Every structure is written in C-alpha cells, then in structure tokens.
Amino acid sequence: MHSFGYRLNGLLTFAVTILALMCAITSLSDNFNTPSPSAEIKIININWFQKQPQGHDEVSLMMNVSADLQSLFTWNTKQVFIFVAAEYGTPKNSLNQVSLWDAIIPAKENAKFWIHTSNKYRFVDQGNNLRGKKFNLTMHWHVMPKTGKMFADKIVLTGYSLPEEYR
Amino acid sequence: MDWQGQKLVEQIMQIMLLVFAVIAFVAGYVLGSFRMMMIVYAGGVALTALITVPNWPLFNRHPLNWLDPSEAEKHPKPQVAVSSKKERHQKVNVVLAAE
C-alpha cells in the first residue's frame, strides 16, 4: 500500500471481487420466489387447413392467449420470454413441438395480458398427419435475470384438436 | 504514507467496501431495485477511494526517521573507474533508515 497506484489497484480489485459476490447472492435470492402463473389459450377459429405443394400439412389458426405471469418477476428479472407451442405425436416422430407465437414481456405491469392473434409462425407438419389430430398447447416461459441463473418452466393445456378434413 | 498509515488504510478500505456491499444489497433487496443496489455500491466505492487512496497527511503521523546526511558522508561512495572511450556510470543507492 506504499503508493497511490498500488492502493487504487488494490481497492478496485477488491471492489470488483465483492461485486461478483453480490451478483451471485442476488441470483441465489431468486430461488426464494415461488411463482404462481396462470395461462389460458382458446382456439377461436381455423383460418385454413391445407396440404402444401411440397406435400406437408399446414394449418393457420386464430387464438386468444391470456395469461397472468406477474408472479414470475423478481427484483433481478430483466425480462420474461414466452412462447406457445403445439405438441403432438406422429408415427414418424414421437414428439413434435411447433412454436406458434412468442413475445417478450419487459416488465411486471405487462405480464397480465390477453392477445387475439393468428399464429406468428407457420404450423407445418413433417408429413400429412394433422387431419383430426389431437394436440396440446404449451405456454413456455424463460425468466431472464439481470444477473445469474435463468429459470424456465411451462404450463401444458390439453384437449385441442384439428378438423378431420382440409378446408 | 508511513507504515502504520498503510496498514490503517488497508483495513479501512476492506471494511468500508464490505460494509457498503452489505448496505447496497439490503437496500436493493428491500426496495426491489437492482439499480438502487448498484448506485449505492458505486457511491460506496467512490467514497472509499476518496478516503483511502490519496496520500492524506493523517496517515503520515508516524513518519520514517531517515538518518542525517552527515552519517552518509562518513561512508563515501566507491570510486568509479573512468575509461578513455566511454564513461560507465555506476549508481549505488545507499539507503539508511532507522525504524
């Protein structure tokens, strides 16, 4: 500690080390949060349901997505990324997950919402398996922190099905 | 800064930084604001730097007792051999200090 530069270096190094420790403890504090999210998805309408030129089935739907994800937010949350995926099985693939819609929720106030939308991303099958297909819609979320560990979870909503014939 | 000042400054620095870290974390957690934690901590680091880094006189209250020049004269520096082409400089640092 014999010179100005030596003391400055020591102070800055120690300060940054303690900062790293503070960030670690902050991330650990997220584990004390017990979230209680809820979500509901209604399929309002099937816009069209066709077999594409390449031979794959494709469907376009109109959904009403409503959710209350406010309990996911902590003081260490930067944003929450959510997406809705359709899940079903086929003879070729035991599990298909097709992402239909996603959004970024930047703050707790925006986390209680409803949205009336058609699917943002195309619902295409690897084959022709969608006629009369029963599927689940899952709401996934990724809680992205300001510092530390990201938490991800989902809600599975069952009981959806597609029409028997193309429209 | 003298030896005792250096020791004091190191202690002050470590304690102040830890205390400000705790205060900052508690403030951030209670207010639910990450930004607040960072602001309080940054302020704490700046304050600690202001107190401990510059060479304040209060940390020099037990200055080192360097010996008088007369003592050094009794022990002359070794003679330097001078060559015709180049002069080689030999620097001998003779430092005498009493604790």
Side-chain angles (χ1 to χ4, degrees), chain B residues 25-57:
Chain B
F25 182 80
V26 168
Y29 191 78
V30 163
L31 293 171
S33 166
F34 192 86
R35 174 176 296 220
M36 218 45 221
M37 176 172 84
M38 287 295 135
I39 289 175
V40 169
Y41 185 60
V45 171
L47 184 68
T48 306
L50 195 64
I51 291 176
T52 61
V53 174
N55 197 5
W56 300 114

Side-chain angles (χ1 to χ4, degrees), chain A residues 83-131:
Chain A
F83 67 96
V84 170
E87 288 182 352
Y88 59 95
T90 57
K92 183 176 168 212
N93 303 321
S94 62
L95 177 65
N96 298 275
Q97 289 172 311
V98 184
S99 179
L100 299 178
W101 175 84
D102 56 30
I104 291 177
I105 306 177
K108 193 169 178 174
E109 301 81 59
N110 312 84
K112 191 166 179 183
F113 68 95
W114 65 266
I115 180 171
H116 191 91
T117 177
S118 62
N119 48 314
K120 200 169 169 185
Y121 306 109
R122 298 170 63 164
F123 188 167
V124 182
D125 183 40
Q126 287 181 340
N128 308 329
N129 305 296
L130 290 184
R131 276 165 294 177

Side-chain angles (χ1 to χ4, degrees), chain A residues 3 6-7 12 15 18 22 24 73 82-83 96 98 101 112 129 138 142 149 151:
Chain A
S3 71
Y6 198 103
R7 287 191 292 274
L12 288 175
I18 293 182
M22 281 162 71
F73 279 80
I82 57 173
F83 67 96
N96 298 275
V98 184
W101 175 84
K112 191 166 179 183
N129 305 296
T138 47
H142 288 25
K149 181 174 179 246
F151 293 83

Side-chain angles (χ1 to χ4, degrees), chain B residues 1 20 22-23 25 29 37 45-46 50 53-54 56 59 64-65 68 70 73-74 76-77 81 83-84 87-88 93:
Chain B
M1 219 184 255
F20 268 108
V22 170
I23 293 175
F25 182 80
Y29 191 78
M37 176 172 84
V45 171
L50 195 64
V53 174
W56 300 114
F59 295 120
L64 294 169
N65 209 358
D68 289 336
S70 61
E73 276 166 14
K74 291 180 192 167
K77 288 183 187 171
S83 65
S84 52
E87 250 193 20
R88 268 192 239 131
N93 260 332

Side-chain angles (χ1 to χ4, degrees), chain A residues 15-101:
Chain A
V16 169
T17 305
I18 293 182
L19 181 67
L21 212 66
M22 281 162 71
C23 287
I25 297 177
T26 303
S27 180
L28 285 172
S29 79
D30 271 351
N31 288 305
F32 292 119
N33 184 40
T34 48
S36 51
S38 62
E40 204 185 284
I41 305 176
K42 286 198 264 279
I43 297 191
I44 310 286
N45 187 29
I46 307 279
N47 300 334
W48 46 264
F49 181 12
Q50 273 160 22
K51 183 170 167 170
Q52 295 308 84
Q54 291 92 354
H56 299 304
D57 281 354
E58 183 177 343
V59 60
S60 164
L61 11 106
M62 207 61 180
M63 307 181 283
N64 192 332
V65 183
S66 66
D68 180 1
L69 303 172
Q70 287 186 323
S71 58
L72 294 173
F73 279 80
T74 71
W75 69 304
N76 185 31
T77 301
K78 166 91 173 70
Q79 64 195 17
V80 172
F81 172 73
I82 57 173
F83 67 96
V84 170
E87 288 182 352
Y88 59 95
T90 57
K92 183 176 168 212
N93 303 321
S94 62
L95 177 65
N96 298 275
Q97 289 172 311
V98 184
S99 179
L100 299 178
W101 175 84

